[in-house]
Amino acid sequence: MKNIVILISGRGSNMQSIVNANIPNAKIAAVLSNNPNAAGLAWAAERGIATAALNHKEFASREDFDRAMMQLIDQYAPDLVVLAGFMRILTPVFCRHYENRCINIHPSLLPSFTGLHTHQRAIDEGCRIAGCTIHFVTEVLDNGAIIAQGVVPILDGDTADDVAARVLKVEHQLFPQAVADFVSGSLKIEGKRVIKQNLSDATAQLLA
Ligand code: GRF
């Protein structure tokens, strides 16, 4: 059984999709947040999952917060840390500690549009497609090896909210699959490429 700790900052719909997937050999050990008011915390607690929040505003520095969060996370002996809408830039000390066992979802087709406001920026650039990327976390923001990407169209007249809603549906499909592939030991990192072996049934079906 692999222990998974999920970090959220808000509503936690991606976290919910991972919990609801009932991934074999995966235990959702805790859902943690930097925001005590994150709606997803209550959802997880109602399902008997351990929850806790550390308010980042109460820490003197970004690194102080990260070190405290690492202590909290490590109480659950995680095999995998999942950043599911965790809206914090992480310090090198955090990224190194969880190297190759921390994954993030980013709402763009990386390497395009790192950072914030990704959908509006894609619209402003006239892109015909948008999407999401699940990747390993490294010290460089939104830059680690890519596990999965999903693509949606950008239609004429779309607002950023329209695109976000379309992308979110794909996020909810891809993220549980990526976690399942990690848990089953199917992901091997070779440089910036993630080689996928023994794919989960869900991923194999998508490729069929
Ligand atoms: C997602 O769109 C994710 O890509 C971005 O923040 C959003 C989080 O949504 N980083 P939720 O909290 O999982 O509902």
Side-chain angles (χ1 to χ4, degrees):
M1 190 63 81
K2 303 274 187 201
N3 283 336
I4 299 180
V5 171
I6 305 179
L7 270 54
I8 62 170
S9 292
R11 80 194 144 178
S13 69
N14 277 288
M15 175 273 294
Q16 293 179 24
S17 74
I18 294 167
V19 171
N20 287 337
N22 291 317
I23 297 164
N25 300 317
K27 178 187 177 199
I28 309 303
V31 174
L32 309 176
S33 184
N34 63 309
N35 170 13
N37 300 318
L41 288 176
W43 186 93
E46 279 165 20
R47 279 149 190 86
I49 300 170
T51 59
L54 285 180
N55 188 343
H56 64 273
K57 292 178 186 157
E58 291 171 5
F59 291 83
S61 72
R62 201 173 272 282
E63 189 166 317
D64 283 355
F65 170 79
D66 278 7
R67 285 188 187 278
M69 191 51 110
M70 284 159 60
Q71 266 191 1
L72 180 59
I73 293 169
D74 287 350
Q75 287 174 20
Y76 299 95
D79 297 286
L80 177 66
V81 175
V82 176
L83 309 182
F86 187 60
M87 303 304 286
R88 298 280 305 162
I89 293 179
L90 296 161
T91 55
V93 69
F94 185 103
C95 298
R96 278 198 291 266
H97 184 64
Y98 298 108
E99 189 176 13
N100 297 346
R101 56 187 180 116
C102 181
I103 66 176
N104 178 48
I105 190 156
H106 179 75
S108 81
L109 294 168
L110 292 173
S112 293
F113 306 120
T114 60
L116 296 174
H117 311 300
T118 53
H119 302 314
Q120 188 59 56
R121 286 157 63 205
I123 291 169
D124 293 346
E125 290 293 341
C127 296
R128 307 305 314 192
I129 55 171
C132 58
T133 302
I134 298 160
H135 63 94
F136 283 96
V137 171
T138 62
E139 291 177 39
V140 184
L141 181 70
D142 299 330
N143 186 63
I146 291 171
I147 300 165
Q149 291 186 299
V151 181
V152 303
I154 296 177
L155 305 178
D156 295 339
D158 269 352
T159 64
D161 285 347
D162 295 331
V163 177
R166 208 172 289 135
V167 170
L168 196 64
K169 284 188 192 162
V170 179
E171 294 186 13
H172 293 166
Q173 290 177 338
L174 283 189
F175 218 177
Q177 283 164 25
V179 173
D181 288 339
F182 181 95
V183 167
S184 67
S186 305
L187 305 180
K188 189 169 158 235
I189 306 172
E190 287 187 3
K192 287 210 73 173
R193 179 158 290 275
V194 175
I195 308 289
K196 300 190 181 182
Q197 306 153 319
N198 312 316
L199 292 176
S200 66
D201 289 350
T203 305
Q205 265 176 23
L206 267 184
L207 295 174

